Amino acid sequence: MARFVTIGYGDEAGYERTAPQVKDRAHGVDEAMREAGAVSGKAGKPVQVRNHGEAGTTTEDGPFMTSGLPVAGFGLIEAADLDAAIAMVAGTPCAVAYGVVEVWPLEE
């Protein structure tokens, strides 16, 4: 099985305009993925860490990257291939509630 990092983006407005039954199914997909071994969670506040040339660690609050929607959560999933990983996340809350999920293959 291959591993994939997922990053979900979405905002409250998109979530609120999604039909309740769609949200309920999406949360069920999340729960089923966790029960199958996926690790996932909501995104907290990020901290940037640098230690250029091992000259000393510095930190800065906030994200390094910006996007059109806020980061909502992260996951680590296993799937047979990229197509299977895409199918797994297609029903998750960010994917169905007017957000987006990125799927990043981990090259091991």
Side-chain angles (χ1 to χ4, degrees):
M1 294 287 258
R3 290 185 186 167
F4 301 86
V5 171
T6 64
I7 306 172
Y9 300 85
D11 61 12
E12 193 67 29
Y15 186 80
E16 291 302 322
R17 70 180 179 150
T18 303
Q21 64 272 25
V22 173
K23 290 189 286 192
D24 289 346
R25 280 193 303 272
H27 287 291
V29 169
D30 265 357
E31 183 59 33
M33 287 174 47
R34 281 191 292 277
E35 288 175 2
V39 178
S40 66
K42 291 182 179 180
K45 296 184 183 223
V47 175
Q48 299 173 42
V49 179
R50 292 176 178 81
N51 186 10
H52 297 166
E54 296 181 338
T57 303
T58 62
T59 62
E60 183 178 342
D61 290 340
F64 178 71
M65 299 188 324
T66 59
S67 67
L69 290 169
V71 174
F74 298 93
L76 177 62
I77 63 173
E78 290 186 342
D81 56 27
L82 181 59
D83 289 337
I86 291 168
M88 287 175 67
V89 303
T92 61
C94 285
V96 303
Y98 302 94
V100 63
V101 179
E102 292 179 340
V103 179
W104 292 62
L106 286 180
E107 297 178 1
E108 299 183 57

